[in-house]
């Protein structure tokens, strides 16, 4: 296979198809037609000598050769970012692309921080990905983004994690409930139905760990993947929940919520900026870490 025939453009197209798992969505993202995308993928596959994608139902999936190529494309992308950063540093510029992936709950504060960052560095283009912790850890493992925001850096990966903000988890009840005056023990809450985040969520993980440590079990009535839905269901009187203080907002009573005084709460696990230790950070990524640390608020 001759390297001379492969272009960065083709590799970018290939990585975009892999990212979206779809030719048509990749074409849309790249502002190309679907046949133009298919032709580029066919040209790369001809060079490689093996198919890069296979059909699985209505979706397409990477073949083993496709996975190898994706990893190589990401390494090339890292090297190129390092080169751009080096050149940017020589020119004293901060420009380029920044990809940040955050867990669902971080969307309550991170966009505001990003807003300030964008104003300071208008030449940096930003791509944001929001998903629950399990999905964000998968992206981290596959080196898909520059930086990750989460509150439980995975122990099984070699990462650098820098805490920058508190993430207190509190027990909330409908404002209409009359509960015994606090401080309450968790055991006193077991008769009440609880609404929980889904398995794979960082919030759920923190709660499950606390319950395992203290030997309590809660009456979980419903698990769901949306902080907002849980917050609104609690306000409507459906049950209690354990949520990040960021989700509850500044005026819980106005939202129909009451934060309970429960022994052992709030659970504390700070938000961290995380990246793979082997990742070569681009100038935009380093600038964003500095920005977050400038506003760090840890107790
Ligand atoms: P989650 O993650 O939004 O998946 O619950 C929150 C966290 O990592 O603390």
């Amino acid at each position: 296979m001759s390297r001379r025939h492969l272009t960065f453009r083709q590799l970018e197209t290939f990585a975009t198809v892999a990212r979206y798992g779809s030719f048509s969505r990749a074409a849309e993202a790249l502002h190309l037609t679907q046949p133009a995308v298919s032709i580029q993928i066919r040209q790369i596959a001809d060079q490689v000598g093996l198919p890069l994608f296979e059909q699985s139902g209505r979706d397409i999936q990477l073949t083993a050769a496709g996975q190898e190529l994706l990893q190589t494309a990401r390494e090339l992308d890292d090297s190129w970012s390092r080169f751009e950063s080096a050149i940017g540093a020589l020119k004293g510029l901060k420009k380029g692309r920044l990809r940040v992936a955050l867990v669902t709950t971080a969307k309550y504060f991170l966009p505001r921080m990003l807003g300030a960052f964008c104003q300071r560095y208008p030449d940096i283009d930003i791509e944001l990905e929001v998903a629950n912790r399990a999905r964000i850890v998968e992206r981290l493992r596959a080196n898909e983004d520059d930086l990750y925001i989460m509150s439980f850096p995975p122990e099984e990966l070699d990462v650098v994690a820098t805490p920058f903000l508190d993430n207190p988890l509190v027990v909330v009840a409908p404002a209409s409930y009359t509960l015994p005056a606090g401080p309450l023990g968790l055991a006193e809450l077991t008769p009440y139905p609880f609404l929980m985040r889904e398995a794979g969520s960082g919030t759920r993980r923190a709660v499950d760990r606390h319950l395992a440590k203290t030997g309590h079990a809660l009456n979980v009535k419903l698990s769901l993947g949306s902080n907002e839905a849980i917050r609104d269901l609690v306000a409507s009187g459906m049950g209690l929940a354990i949520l990040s203080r960021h989700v509850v907002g500044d005026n819980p009573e106005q939202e129909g919520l009451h934060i309970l005084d429960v022994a052992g709460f709030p659970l504390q696990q700070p938000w961290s900026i995380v990246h793979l230790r082997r990742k070569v950070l681009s100038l935009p990524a380093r600038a964003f870490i500095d920005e977050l640390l400038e506003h760090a608020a840890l107790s």
Side-chain angles (χ1 to χ4, degrees), residues 103-105 132-133 150-152 167 197 200-203 227 271:
V103 291
T104 338
T105 309
N132 78 9
R133 180 183 179 277
M150 62 177 77
S151 66
F152 283 98
N167 179 24
R197 281 289 306 275
S201 130
T203 307
N227 285 313
W271 293 112

Side-chain angles (χ1 to χ4, degrees), residues 159-187:
V159 297
V160 177
T162 314
F164 70 100
L165 186 68
D166 285 333
N167 179 24
L169 298 186
V170 294
V171 185
V172 286
S176 58
Y177 272 30
T178 24
L179 284 141
L184 301 162
L186 263 185

Side-chain angles (χ1 to χ4, degrees), residues 83-280:
F83 168 71
E84 277 184 340
S85 292
I87 296 299
L90 289 174
K91 292 183 185 164
L93 288 180
K94 293 224 169 55
K95 60 194 295 184
R97 189 192 56 197
L98 173 66
R99 271 196 192 140
V100 185
L102 38 136
V103 291
T104 338
T105 309
K107 72 174 183 217
Y108 289 92
F109 60 87
L110 202 89
R112 243 170 290 148
M113 294 177 158
L114 259 179
F117 180 76
C118 290
Q119 279 179 0
R120 198 188 285 196
Y121 301 110
D123 293 329
I124 297 181
D125 298 328
I126 298 181
E127 283 179 27
L128 265 195
E129 186 73 33
V130 183
N132 78 9
R133 180 183 179 277
R135 179 72 195 106
I136 294 298
V137 170
E138 264 176 48
R139 295 183 66 91
L140 171 62
R141 189 188 302 277
N143 186 22
E144 287 188 46
D145 314 271
D146 295 304
L147 297 173
Y148 300 83
I149 309 293
M150 62 177 77
S151 66
F152 283 98
E155 290 118 17
E156 68 279 17
L157 298 178
D158 189 14
V159 297
V160 177
T162 314
F164 70 100
L165 186 68
D166 285 333
N167 179 24
L169 298 186
V170 294
V171 185
V172 286
S176 58
Y177 272 30
T178 24
L179 284 141
L184 301 162
L186 263 185
E188 291 169 78
L189 299 181
T190 48
Y192 297 93
F194 266 79
L195 309 166
M196 289 280 203
R197 281 289 306 275
E198 79 288 7
S201 130
T203 307
R204 178 67 180 260
R205 180 184 165 105
V207 173
D208 285 348
R209 281 189 168 190
H210 182 71
L211 295 176
K213 202 167 86 195
T214 57
H216 288 98
L218 294 174
N219 167 15
V220 180
K221 187 169 173 70
L222 193 66
S223 296
L224 64 168
S226 156
N227 285 313
E228 295 80 6
I230 295 179
R231 187 188 56 199
D232 294 349
L233 286 168
V234 172
S236 76
M238 195 159 162
L240 274 54
I242 299 170
L243 291 173
S244 166
R245 188 71 184 74
H246 295 283
V247 176
V248 177
D250 292 335
N251 295 307
E253 305 291 337
Q254 268 179 23
E255 308 265 348
L257 300 169
H258 182 56
I259 297 181
L260 299 181
D261 179 6
V262 179
F265 284 82
L267 302 181
Q268 292 287 2
Q269 178 77 24
W271 293 112
S272 292
I273 315 158
V274 180
H275 61 85
L276 290 174
R277 192 177 300 280
R278 67 180 158 82
K279 179 90 180 169
V280 182

